[in-house]
């Protein structure tokens, strides 16, 4: 009888500890537009939002729940009921990363807001309703567009860029060597609200401006869905999209923003990861199989780290001239 009681006690404790662990995972909810959003990966689509990649830069004690949606502004995100769905899920200690602006500046009535008034009001609402649920809001301003044009082109709809066709010769205007702003006062409103509400503010606009300017007019294209005809099989006609990120761009930006978040929020800094790349079946990583990751990693003296996300995986063949450490994330196993 004592053995049975001990066994039952052990099982009960195990169940309680498992439930406790699951219940205390911190969630980062993300709300925003296409620059942050998750993307479909069918047909080899390479477009990614930086929020789609963010899980790769935090460990399993952090769960990223990305609610950002293409084409949404702070207004339409609320009007469509998307914000309420997030509010209903927030638990004490969770975070909400808030980034709008790209579509708030559009003229369409269902999306448009004004910085200094309606845009700020919506940001305040996100902050206050997050706090009312015991959550922790973090305000980001909008990431930059890759705009080296000497005369800033008018663009009323970033989503239409997916229909553009790449061309060997630029047809949109003369480009220079200086990245030019396209967001105006929408860059500053989140900072102002953050100061008013005593909220952490991440200057994503400045961080991405420095990134794109450092890369320059040509290399900055490597961050975006910018391809010449015949350059990328998934977009055979090419594309000129200076707003949306490809896999490399999304991970580059996600890493920079995760590091800035960690710098400002010590509680999240403890969960920052430092892998060289990630493998995931749902497209959040740079690769879809461990073997693909191994094949693409360069030969170097230092050991390189590959994160493997949920799923059952074939062990890759690692050549003798590569030193690779594999880290199995929650739910990942090797095939026997």
């Amino acid at each position: 009888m004592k053995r049975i009681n001990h066994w039952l006690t052990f099982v009960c404790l195990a169940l309680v500890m498992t439930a406790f662990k699951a219940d205390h995972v911190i969630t980062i909810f993300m709300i925003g537009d296409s620059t942050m959003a998750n993307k479909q990966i069918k047909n080899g689509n390479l477009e990614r939002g930086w929020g789609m990649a963010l899980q790769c830069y935090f460990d399993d004690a952090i769960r990223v729940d990305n609610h950002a949606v293409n084409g949404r502004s702070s207004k339409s995100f609320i009007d469509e009921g998307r914000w309420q769905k997030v509010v209903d899920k927030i638990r004490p200690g969770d975070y909400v990363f808030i980034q709008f602006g790209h579509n708030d500046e559009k003229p369409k009535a269902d999306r448009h807001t004004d910085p200094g008034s309606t845009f700020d009001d919506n940001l305040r609402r996100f902050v206050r309703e997050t706090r009312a649920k015991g959550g922790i809001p973090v305000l980001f301003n909008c990431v930059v567009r890759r705009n080296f044009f000497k005369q800033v082109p008018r663009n009323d709809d970033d989503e239409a860029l997916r229909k553009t066709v790449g061309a060997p010769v630029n047809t949109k205007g003369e480009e220079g060597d200086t990245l030019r702003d396209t967001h105006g006062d929408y860059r500053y409103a989140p900072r102002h609200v953050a100061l008013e509400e005593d909220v952490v503010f991440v200057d994503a606009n400045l961080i991405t401006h420095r990134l794109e300017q450092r890369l320059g007019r040509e290399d900055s294209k490597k961050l975006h869905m910018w391809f010449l005809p015949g350059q990328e099989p998934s977009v055979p006609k090419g594309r000129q999209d200076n707003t949306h990120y490809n896999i490399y761009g999304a991970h580059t930006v996600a890493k920079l923003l995760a590091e800035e978040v960690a710098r400002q929020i010590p509680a999240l800094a403890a969960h920052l990861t430092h892998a060289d790349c990630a493998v995931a079946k749902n497209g959040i990583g740079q690769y879809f199989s461990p073997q693909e990751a191994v094949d693409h990693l360069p030969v170097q003296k230092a050991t390189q780290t590959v994160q493997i996300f949920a799923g059952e995986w074939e062990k890759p063949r690692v050549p003798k001239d590569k030193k690779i450490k594999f880290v199995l994330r929650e739910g990942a196993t090797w095939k026997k």
Side-chain angles (χ1 to χ4, degrees):
M1 181 64 71
K2 287 184 179 180
R3 287 184 179 180
I4 294 175
N5 287 338
H6 287 320
W7 182 82
L8 287 173
T9 300
F10 174 79
V11 171
C12 290
L13 283 172
L15 290 172
V16 168
M17 291 302 294
T18 301
F20 179 85
K21 180 181 178 182
D23 192 53
H24 284 72
V25 170
I26 298 167
T27 299
I28 295 176
F29 295 100
M30 308 189 74
I31 63 171
D33 54 43
S34 57
T35 59
M36 180 193 271
N38 292 344
K39 311 292 178 176
Q40 294 288 335
I41 60 175
K42 63 181 180 180
N43 300 323
N45 179 32
L46 298 182
E47 186 181 328
R48 302 287 189 272
W50 70 265
M52 186 172 179
L54 189 65
Q55 185 69 73
C56 299
Y57 301 94
F58 289 102
D59 64 26
D60 290 328
I62 304 295
R63 179 190 299 115
V64 175
D65 189 357
N66 190 4
H67 289 256
V69 181
N70 293 359
R72 269 56 180 188
S73 68
S74 64
K75 172 180 167 55
S76 61
F77 198 86
I78 292 170
D79 291 347
E80 294 173 2
R82 298 179 184 277
W83 170 236
Q84 189 58 51
K85 290 180 180 179
V86 175
V87 171
D88 291 343
K89 297 173 70 176
I90 298 171
R91 300 179 306 173
D94 288 339
Y95 292 82
V96 179
F97 287 6
I98 304 157
Q99 184 185 62
F100 289 97
H102 273 84
N103 298 304
D104 287 79
E105 65 193 46
K106 308 302 183 184
K108 291 184 177 180
D110 64 339
R111 292 189 289 182
H112 184 75
T113 64
D114 292 308
S117 62
T118 48
F119 185 42
D120 300 46
D121 289 341
N122 290 339
L123 297 181
R124 290 188 192 97
R125 176 174 175 178
F126 296 141
V127 166
R128 293 171 183 176
E129 293 186 4
T130 295
R131 282 178 166 162
K133 293 295 293 291
I136 304 163
V138 181
L139 281 169
F140 295 69
N141 56 4
C142 40
V143 295
V144 298
R145 297 184 180 94
R146 182 200 161 273
N147 179 65
F148 286 90
F149 297 115
K150 293 182 178 180
Q151 183 175 352
V152 178
R154 180 179 177 182
N155 175 25
D156 289 340
D157 190 356
D158 287 311
E159 301 307 302
L161 292 170
R162 296 188 184 89
K163 300 178 182 178
T164 60
V165 175
V169 179
N170 174 43
T171 58
K172 294 186 177 182
E174 185 180 358
E175 287 189 323
D177 294 321
T178 302
L179 189 74
R180 296 179 181 273
D181 171 60
T182 65
H183 294 301
D185 288 343
Y186 291 92
R187 290 177 294 168
Y188 305 122
R191 182 195 299 275
H192 295 157
V193 173
L195 287 171
E196 291 173 11
E197 301 289 332
D198 192 23
V199 173
V200 169
F201 169 69
V202 176
D203 198 340
N205 191 269
L206 178 61
I207 291 168
T208 52
H209 185 282
R210 287 174 174 170
L211 169 66
E212 306 246 7
Q213 184 65 68
R214 175 174 57 79
L215 290 173
R217 181 171 58 189
E218 289 304 315
D219 283 349
S220 60
K221 294 175 182 176
K222 297 176 183 178
L223 299 169
H224 295 278
M225 291 298 291
W226 214 111
F227 302 103
L228 295 175
Q231 186 177 12
E232 166 51 43
S234 62
V235 282
K237 294 182 180 179
R239 185 171 297 169
Q240 290 190 33
D241 184 341
N242 293 311
T243 296
H244 301 108
Y245 297 121
N246 56 30
I247 295 172
Y248 170 71
H251 278 270
T252 301
V253 171
K255 182 175 185 292
L256 289 172
L257 297 183
E259 289 172 346
E260 177 60 17
V261 165
R263 188 185 71 80
Q264 296 198 51
I265 306 176
L268 289 178
H271 300 289
L272 203 64
T273 61
H274 303 279
D276 292 280
C277 64
V279 174
K281 295 179 180 180
N282 61 359
I284 68 171
Q286 292 96 332
Y287 303 106
F288 286 98
S289 75
Q291 190 64 58
E292 184 185 6
V294 169
D295 293 343
H296 281 85
L297 286 172
V299 175
Q300 60 184 44
K301 292 182 179 179
T303 299
Q304 299 173 87
T305 303
V306 179
Q307 296 183 90
I308 311 291
F309 281 86
E312 190 178 31
W313 302 93
E314 292 280 358
K315 285 190 176 181
R317 299 178 302 279
V318 181
K320 294 181 180 179
D321 57 357
K322 292 185 179 181
K323 299 178 181 178
I324 298 176
K325 174 186 177 183
F326 297 99
V327 176
L328 296 179
R329 298 288 298 260
E330 185 176 358
T333 59
W334 295 116
K335 287 185 179 179
K336 295 180 180 180

